Every structure is written in C-alpha cells, then in structure tokens.
Amino acid sequence: MELRILAAPREQQALLDLPWDMPLEQWPEWYLVALPRGISRHVVRFTRLGGNVYALKEIVKPYADREYQMLRDLARLDVPAVQAVGVVSGREAPGGESLDSVLVTRHLQFSLPYRALFARMMRRDTVDRLIDALVVLIARLHLTGFYWGDCSLSNTLFRRDAGAFAAYLVDAETGELHNGLSDGQRAHDLDTARTNIAGEMMDLLAAGQLDESVDPIGVSDQVVERYEALWTELTEWEAFDVNERWRIARRVDRLNELGFDVDELDIVTDIGGRTIRVQPKVVDPGHHSRRLLRLTGIDAQENQARRLLNDLDTYAAVTEQQGEDEEIVANAWVMDSYEPVLRAIPRDLRGKLEGPEIFHEVLEHRWYLSENLGRDIGLEEAARDYADTVLRHKPDELAILGGTSAEADTTQPFRITWSDLQ
C-alpha cells in the first residue's frame, strides 16, 4: 500500500513529516496541540505545521474524499465552513495493518465548539444568541442548495461577533449539494436539528452547565420557529398597494440589516395594476462585512462590521466629514480610531480576541466608563483601561491552550439580533 497525500504543494511537504503509520489516538503528544474539541464519532486531533494549526479526522477513505470535495465546493460558494486542506490515504501500520484515511482541515482561529462555550454556566440569553447564529447558518446553507443531513451544535463552530456569535459548519460528512432544496429536504434538516439540539441541551442540563430556567425542548423548538421567520423574510412574496412602493425599499433595507444583499427583485402587478407583489432574490450574505472590507481592508464578522461602520459614521459626523468621499473618511477613521485602539492593547493580550471584536468591546467599555465617570472618555484611554480590567482576565481564544490534548477535550463537561425579525 502506498501513502498518498492529496493537498496543495505547500501543505504536502509539511504533512509528510507526520507519523501516518500510527492511529491518531496513539500519536505522541509532541505532534499535537491542545484545543477544545466537541463530541465526534471519529478520532479528531490538532497539530501545528509551519505556523498553522490543522484539524485531523480519521475516517474511511470514501467519506474522507467526499467530505474534502464537499468542503471545497462550499468554499467556492463562500459558505461559512472550515477550510479543507487535504486527504491522507494509503496509511499502514508497521505490522501491515491498514489504517483509515485522515481528512485535514485548517483550524478556524478564535472559534470554539459549543461545549467550550458552556464551560461555565450558560445563561438563557447566551443560549438564544447561539441558536440565532445556528439558524442563520442553516438558512445560508439552504439558500445555496446545501442539505446538511446532520445539523447540530456539535457539528458547528462559533466565533464571537460583537456581542453575538457567528456559526461555521465543521462537519459536511452527510451533506449534499443541490441546485435548490425542496420544502421536504429543508423540513428534514430542521427536524434533525430539533432532535439533536434537544439531546445536546439535555446533556448540558444534566451536567450542570445549563441554567435550570432553560428548557431543552423549548430551545430545540425555537430553532424551527426562528428559522421559519428568517426564511419567510428571505424568500416569501410580499403584496401591497401600488401607492405603497416605499415598502419595496423597506424590504430591501430589512434584508440588508440582517446581513443579506439583494441581487434582484421579482415584481408582479395584478391586472388592474392596484396590487404589487415583490419577491427578493437574496445573494451573498455579508452585506456589512463586505462594505467594511472594501472601505478599510478590515476583515470582520457581520455584526462586528455593522458596529465598526456605525462608529465610522459617528466619526464622520464628529469630524464634520459627512460630505467627504467615504473612502477618504474611512481611511482617516482607521488611522485616528481603529489602529490607535489596537496599538493601545499590550502585545501579550492581542491573541485573546480578534481585532474587530476588541474594538467593539472597547466601544462598549468606553460607554460604561463615560457613564460612571460623568465625562467623555477618549478611545485610547478606554482601550488601556479595558486591557487592564477586562481583557487581561479573558481566556485566550487564539493561543494554543496549555496542557495535554486530553485536558483540552471538552467532550467532558468543560447577535445576529433576533429583534430585527420581531
């Protein structure tokens, strides 16, 4: 049997140095890094190669090849998912025993499995934000024609997003990509999500990691209710009188606020011309993050981008530059506001959160300080106080966790804001 590594050239060379003739669960600790990992029916380990961290999942070859291709297809569709790096097959132990293939994905920085987020008692509002993030992810997947087949919190990674969470698909093993999904396929995904999430919430409640006020069945039902509300907003026809054309713009604005761009509108009038029906074609989620990236070069989650753009607008008003070209104002804001805040954070603390998340939290901290002191606090002063009193005590979500991989195994009990749809 010949070892085969399917990967980009720059990753192939590094992957050659790993002990592929050993089952993953037997790898020596010096090959591994300790990161929180969720429940999986497969052996999963993390390793560092050339400054990057990779997730390794041991799985039979046909499924490894299929999931690798599925993740690459999702990447081309710009779906929030982990990045497929390669597949290692033809593995064989020294005694001649055949070993399963390994799917290699790039570890998503600053992301955590849901059980790591529940390491401390989880309040109801935090549960709601996780569910909101998962609902948005499911809707995005369904819009692209992706049937998940095993939707759950366990198969999702979460990143903080300006007080909310952004969700990423981490397991596409059962997924199917179609030109579009039937109502039955979407309903089956939701029914699977309802069942899986109810079980996951019950496990957390039994382990004392969930506030007793949280009803596991109610949370799982919430997924379906919120999904249906979002799906209606994204896809349903809306009818109104011909004199209420302003409602077309309002529908587009609501979708933009939810982070979705509208490519075109399907508009139909009745025979008498008194009633208009409108259905948007929603494309390219990430409305605010793309605008922020275009103006500033800052790559942020959707809610982070929304918050930063609001601060940019405030900056333009305070500096009396509302009539100035927005690219010029954005460049000035980066130099006068964003970069000074990040420079005010001590270097040893910068790995705790992403830059946009730090800026968002500094804005929040500045508001509280100003309220308590009865005077306006400057951004840099707020950033220094935030670093000393808040950030220093947060867990490090970028750096590799210390200890053995077993210590980081969170299988042991370890916004998009929905008011927009109310």
PDB file of all heavy atoms in Angstrom, residues 300-321:
ATOM      1  N   ALA A 300     -13.956  41.387   9.007  1.00  0.00           N
ATOM      2  CA  ALA A 300     -14.687  41.231  10.262  1.00  0.00           C
ATOM      3  C   ALA A 300     -15.926  40.381  10.053  1.00  0.00           C
ATOM      4  O   ALA A 300     -16.395  40.198   8.933  1.00  0.00           O
ATOM      5  CB  ALA A 300     -15.080  42.602  10.820  1.00  0.00           C
ATOM      6  N   GLN A 301     -16.465  39.854  11.159  1.00  0.00           N
ATOM      7  CA  GLN A 301     -17.753  39.192  11.121  1.00  0.00           C
ATOM      8  C   GLN A 301     -18.842  40.229  10.836  1.00  0.00           C
ATOM      9  O   GLN A 301     -18.612  41.437  10.930  1.00  0.00           O
ATOM     10  CB  GLN A 301     -18.031  38.508  12.466  1.00  0.00           C
ATOM     11  CG  GLN A 301     -16.975  37.512  12.897  1.00  0.00           C
ATOM     12  CD  GLN A 301     -16.966  36.263  12.051  1.00  0.00           C
ATOM     13  OE1 GLN A 301     -17.957  35.938  11.391  1.00  0.00           O
ATOM     14  NE2 GLN A 301     -15.858  35.545  12.058  1.00  0.00           N
ATOM     15  N   GLU A 302     -20.032  39.764  10.509  1.00  0.00           N
ATOM     16  CA  GLU A 302     -21.094  40.671  10.075  1.00  0.00           C
ATOM     17  C   GLU A 302     -21.503  41.677  11.155  1.00  0.00           C
ATOM     18  O   GLU A 302     -21.599  42.872  10.896  1.00  0.00           O
ATOM     19  CB  GLU A 302     -22.304  39.855   9.629  1.00  0.00           C
ATOM     20  CG  GLU A 302     -23.454  40.679   9.070  1.00  0.00           C
ATOM     21  CD  GLU A 302     -23.118  41.403   7.773  1.00  0.00           C
ATOM     22  OE1 GLU A 302     -22.060  41.115   7.170  1.00  0.00           O
ATOM     23  OE2 GLU A 302     -23.918  42.256   7.380  1.00  0.00           O
ATOM     24  N   ASN A 303     -21.738  41.228  12.377  1.00  0.00           N
ATOM     25  CA  ASN A 303     -22.141  42.155  13.428  1.00  0.00           C
ATOM     26  C   ASN A 303     -21.005  43.062  13.855  1.00  0.00           C
ATOM     27  O   ASN A 303     -21.216  44.226  14.194  1.00  0.00           O
ATOM     28  CB  ASN A 303     -22.683  41.391  14.645  1.00  0.00           C
ATOM     29  CG  ASN A 303     -24.084  40.869  14.401  1.00  0.00           C
ATOM     30  OD1 ASN A 303     -24.816  41.388  13.562  1.00  0.00           O
ATOM     31  ND2 ASN A 303     -24.472  39.839  15.121  1.00  0.00           N
ATOM     32  N   GLN A 304     -19.787  42.538  13.851  1.00  0.00           N
ATOM     33  CA  GLN A 304     -18.625  43.378  14.123  1.00  0.00           C
ATOM     34  C   GLN A 304     -18.544  44.494  13.089  1.00  0.00           C
ATOM     35  O   GLN A 304     -18.321  45.670  13.427  1.00  0.00           O
ATOM     36  CB  GLN A 304     -17.340  42.540  14.082  1.00  0.00           C
ATOM     37  CG  GLN A 304     -17.205  41.531  15.198  1.00  0.00           C
ATOM     38  CD  GLN A 304     -16.074  40.556  14.952  1.00  0.00           C
ATOM     39  OE1 GLN A 304     -15.505  40.494  13.853  1.00  0.00           O
ATOM     40  NE2 GLN A 304     -15.745  39.758  15.960  1.00  0.00           N
ATOM     41  N   ALA A 305     -18.718  44.120  11.822  1.00  0.00           N
ATOM     42  CA  ALA A 305     -18.639  45.111  10.743  1.00  0.00           C
ATOM     43  C   ALA A 305     -19.722  46.170  10.895  1.00  0.00           C
ATOM     44  O   ALA A 305     -19.483  47.368  10.701  1.00  0.00           O
ATOM     45  CB  ALA A 305     -18.758  44.419   9.390  1.00  0.00           C
ATOM     46  N   ARG A 306     -20.920  45.751  11.256  1.00  0.00           N
ATOM     47  CA  ARG A 306     -22.013  46.694  11.460  1.00  0.00           C
ATOM     48  C   ARG A 306     -21.643  47.706  12.554  1.00  0.00           C
ATOM     49  O   ARG A 306     -21.863  48.898  12.419  1.00  0.00           O
ATOM     50  CB  ARG A 306     -23.282  45.924  11.855  1.00  0.00           C
ATOM     51  CG  ARG A 306     -24.551  46.791  11.918  1.00  0.00           C
ATOM     52  CD  ARG A 306     -25.616  46.114  12.775  1.00  0.00           C
ATOM     53  NE  ARG A 306     -25.815  44.718  12.440  1.00  0.00           N
ATOM     54  CZ  ARG A 306     -26.882  44.235  11.827  1.00  0.00           C
ATOM     55  NH1 ARG A 306     -27.843  45.037  11.448  1.00  0.00           N
ATOM     56  NH2 ARG A 306     -26.990  42.953  11.598  1.00  0.00           N
ATOM     57  N   ARG A 307     -21.053  47.192  13.652  1.00  0.00           N
ATOM     58  CA  ARG A 307     -20.682  48.073  14.761  1.00  0.00           C
ATOM     59  C   ARG A 307     -19.566  49.038  14.351  1.00  0.00           C
ATOM     60  O   ARG A 307     -19.590  50.226  14.694  1.00  0.00           O
ATOM     61  CB  ARG A 307     -20.242  47.234  15.959  1.00  0.00           C
ATOM     62  CG  ARG A 307     -19.961  48.078  17.201  1.00  0.00           C
ATOM     63  CD  ARG A 307     -21.247  48.712  17.699  1.00  0.00           C
ATOM     64  NE  ARG A 307     -21.004  49.725  18.717  1.00  0.00           N
ATOM     65  CZ  ARG A 307     -20.817  49.472  20.003  1.00  0.00           C
ATOM     66  NH1 ARG A 307     -20.857  48.224  20.436  1.00  0.00           N
ATOM     67  NH2 ARG A 307     -20.631  50.440  20.855  1.00  0.00           N
ATOM     68  N   LEU A 308     -18.575  48.531  13.637  1.00  0.00           N
ATOM     69  CA  LEU A 308     -17.462  49.387  13.207  1.00  0.00           C
ATOM     70  C   LEU A 308     -17.936  50.442  12.216  1.00  0.00           C
ATOM     71  O   LEU A 308     -17.490  51.595  12.255  1.00  0.00           O
ATOM     72  CB  LEU A 308     -16.341  48.536  12.607  1.00  0.00           C
ATOM     73  CG  LEU A 308     -15.252  48.071  13.602  1.00  0.00           C
ATOM     74  CD1 LEU A 308     -15.854  47.202  14.716  1.00  0.00           C
ATOM     75  CD2 LEU A 308     -14.158  47.291  12.867  1.00  0.00           C
ATOM     76  N   LEU A 309     -18.852  50.060  11.315  1.00  0.00           N
ATOM     77  CA  LEU A 309     -19.384  51.030  10.352  1.00  0.00           C
ATOM     78  C   LEU A 309     -20.198  52.117  11.065  1.00  0.00           C
ATOM     79  O   LEU A 309     -20.168  53.290  10.669  1.00  0.00           O
ATOM     80  CB  LEU A 309     -20.249  50.314   9.317  1.00  0.00           C
ATOM     81  CG  LEU A 309     -19.486  49.471   8.287  1.00  0.00           C
ATOM     82  CD1 LEU A 309     -20.450  48.591   7.504  1.00  0.00           C
ATOM     83  CD2 LEU A 309     -18.691  50.363   7.327  1.00  0.00           C
ATOM     84  N   ASN A 310     -20.922  51.743  12.122  1.00  0.00           N
ATOM     85  CA  ASN A 310     -21.642  52.751  12.893  1.00  0.00           C
ATOM     86  C   ASN A 310     -20.674  53.738  13.536  1.00  0.00           C
ATOM     87  O   ASN A 310     -20.931  54.945  13.571  1.00  0.00           O
ATOM     88  CB  ASN A 310     -22.493  52.078  13.981  1.00  0.00           C
ATOM     89  CG  ASN A 310     -23.719  51.385  13.416  1.00  0.00           C
ATOM     90  OD1 ASN A 310     -24.133  51.670  12.298  1.00  0.00           O
ATOM     91  ND2 ASN A 310     -24.297  50.478  14.184  1.00  0.00           N
ATOM     92  N   ASP A 311     -19.551  53.227  14.042  1.00  0.00           N
ATOM     93  CA  ASP A 311     -18.561  54.126  14.636  1.00  0.00           C
ATOM     94  C   ASP A 311     -17.916  55.006  13.575  1.00  0.00           C
ATOM     95  O   ASP A 311     -17.613  56.186  13.826  1.00  0.00           O
ATOM     96  CB  ASP A 311     -17.485  53.318  15.369  1.00  0.00           C
ATOM     97  CG  ASP A 311     -16.584  54.198  16.221  1.00  0.00           C
ATOM     98  OD1 ASP A 311     -17.094  54.764  17.215  1.00  0.00           O
ATOM     99  OD2 ASP A 311     -15.401  54.348  15.888  1.00  0.00           O
ATOM    100  N   LEU A 312     -17.724  54.441  12.380  1.00  0.00           N
ATOM    101  CA  LEU A 312     -17.193  55.241  11.272  1.00  0.00           C
ATOM    102  C   LEU A 312     -18.153  56.388  10.938  1.00  0.00           C
ATOM    103  O   LEU A 312     -17.717  57.531  10.709  1.00  0.00           O
ATOM    104  CB  LEU A 312     -16.965  54.338  10.059  1.00  0.00           C
ATOM    105  CG  LEU A 312     -16.157  54.879   8.879  1.00  0.00           C
ATOM    106  CD1 LEU A 312     -15.635  53.726   8.031  1.00  0.00           C
ATOM    107  CD2 LEU A 312     -16.969  55.807   7.990  1.00  0.00           C
ATOM    108  N   ASP A 313     -19.449  56.095  10.911  1.00  0.00           N
ATOM    109  CA  ASP A 313     -20.439  57.147  10.639  1.00  0.00           C
ATOM    110  C   ASP A 313     -20.408  58.223  11.721  1.00  0.00           C
ATOM    111  O   ASP A 313     -20.526  59.418  11.432  1.00  0.00           O
ATOM    112  CB  ASP A 313     -21.839  56.539  10.545  1.00  0.00           C
ATOM    113  CG  ASP A 313     -22.030  55.670   9.314  1.00  0.00           C
ATOM    114  OD1 ASP A 313     -21.252  55.835   8.357  1.00  0.00           O
ATOM    115  OD2 ASP A 313     -22.938  54.824   9.316  1.00  0.00           O
ATOM    116  N   THR A 314     -20.269  57.802  12.987  1.00  0.00           N
ATOM    117  CA  THR A 314     -20.174  58.765  14.081  1.00  0.00           C
ATOM    118  C   THR A 314     -18.931  59.623  13.933  1.00  0.00           C
ATOM    119  O   THR A 314     -18.966  60.848  14.145  1.00  0.00           O
ATOM    120  CB  THR A 314     -20.141  58.030  15.433  1.00  0.00           C
ATOM    121  OG1 THR A 314     -21.323  57.244  15.575  1.00  0.00           O
ATOM    122  CG2 THR A 314     -20.042  59.011  16.589  1.00  0.00           C
ATOM    123  N   TYR A 315     -17.829  58.984  13.557  1.00  0.00           N
ATOM    124  CA  TYR A 315     -16.567  59.715  13.345  1.00  0.00           C
ATOM    125  C   TYR A 315     -16.734  60.768  12.252  1.00  0.00           C
ATOM    126  O   TYR A 315     -16.266  61.907  12.393  1.00  0.00           O
ATOM    127  CB  TYR A 315     -15.468  58.715  12.974  1.00  0.00           C
ATOM    128  CG  TYR A 315     -14.164  59.353  12.543  1.00  0.00           C
ATOM    129  CD1 TYR A 315     -13.215  59.733  13.479  1.00  0.00           C
ATOM    130  CD2 TYR A 315     -13.888  59.562  11.186  1.00  0.00           C
ATOM    131  CE1 TYR A 315     -12.006  60.313  13.082  1.00  0.00           C
ATOM    132  CE2 TYR A 315     -12.691  60.138  10.786  1.00  0.00           C
ATOM    133  CZ  TYR A 315     -11.756  60.507  11.737  1.00  0.00           C
ATOM    134  OH  TYR A 315     -10.571  61.093  11.330  1.00  0.00           O
ATOM    135  N   ALA A 316     -17.423  60.391  11.163  1.00  0.00           N
ATOM    136  CA  ALA A 316     -17.631  61.343  10.068  1.00  0.00           C
ATOM    137  C   ALA A 316     -18.441  62.548  10.533  1.00  0.00           C
ATOM    138  O   ALA A 316     -18.163  63.694  10.153  1.00  0.00           O
ATOM    139  CB  ALA A 316     -18.330  60.651   8.903  1.00  0.00           C
ATOM    140  N   ALA A 317     -19.449  62.287  11.397  1.00  0.00           N
ATOM    141  CA  ALA A 317     -20.273  63.388  11.889  1.00  0.00           C
ATOM    142  C   ALA A 317     -19.483  64.284  12.842  1.00  0.00           C
ATOM    143  O   ALA A 317     -19.541  65.520  12.743  1.00  0.00           O
ATOM    144  CB  ALA A 317     -21.509  62.831  12.595  1.00  0.00           C
ATOM    145  N   VAL A 318     -18.746  63.683  13.764  1.00  0.00           N
ATOM    146  CA  VAL A 318     -17.990  64.457  14.756  1.00  0.00           C
ATOM    147  C   VAL A 318     -16.908  65.302  14.093  1.00  0.00           C
ATOM    148  O   VAL A 318     -16.646  66.434  14.507  1.00  0.00           O
ATOM    149  CB  VAL A 318     -17.381  63.505  15.804  1.00  0.00           C
ATOM    150  CG1 VAL A 318     -16.377  64.234  16.693  1.00  0.00           C
ATOM    151  CG2 VAL A 318     -18.478  62.880  16.649  1.00  0.00           C
ATOM    152  N   THR A 319     -16.292  64.754  13.053  1.00  0.00           N
ATOM    153  CA  THR A 319     -15.224  65.492  12.355  1.00  0.00           C
ATOM    154  C   THR A 319     -15.747  66.314  11.185  1.00  0.00           C
ATOM    155  O   THR A 319     -14.959  66.858  10.409  1.00  0.00           O
ATOM    156  CB  THR A 319     -14.150  64.499  11.849  1.00  0.00           C
ATOM    157  OG1 THR A 319     -14.777  63.530  10.978  1.00  0.00           O
ATOM    158  CG2 THR A 319     -13.476  63.778  13.011  1.00  0.00           C
ATOM    159  N   GLU A 320     -17.100  66.372  11.074  1.00  0.00           N
ATOM    160  CA  GLU A 320     -17.753  67.173  10.038  1.00  0.00           C
ATOM    161  C   GLU A 320     -17.276  66.801   8.630  1.00  0.00           C
ATOM    162  O   GLU A 320     -16.916  67.646   7.819  1.00  0.00           O
ATOM    163  CB  GLU A 320     -17.533  68.667  10.294  1.00  0.00           C
ATOM    164  CG  GLU A 320     -18.107  69.132  11.625  1.00  0.00           C
ATOM    165  CD  GLU A 320     -17.931  70.622  11.841  1.00  0.00           C
ATOM    166  OE1 GLU A 320     -17.198  71.267  11.074  1.00  0.00           O
ATOM    167  OE2 GLU A 320     -18.541  71.136  12.807  1.00  0.00           O
ATOM    168  N   GLN A 321     -17.295  65.483   8.361  1.00  0.00           N
ATOM    169  CA  GLN A 321     -16.865  64.992   7.046  1.00  0.00           C
ATOM    170  C   GLN A 321     -17.968  64.211   6.334  1.00  0.00           C
ATOM    171  O   GLN A 321     -17.687  63.395   5.461  1.00  0.00           O
ATOM    172  CB  GLN A 321     -15.641  64.075   7.205  1.00  0.00           C
ATOM    173  CG  GLN A 321     -14.410  64.740   7.776  1.00  0.00           C
ATOM    174  CD  GLN A 321     -13.221  63.801   7.787  1.00  0.00           C
ATOM    175  OE1 GLN A 321     -12.624  63.469   6.754  1.00  0.00           O
ATOM    176  NE2 GLN A 321     -12.875  63.328   8.981  1.00  0.00           N
TER     177      GLN A 321
END
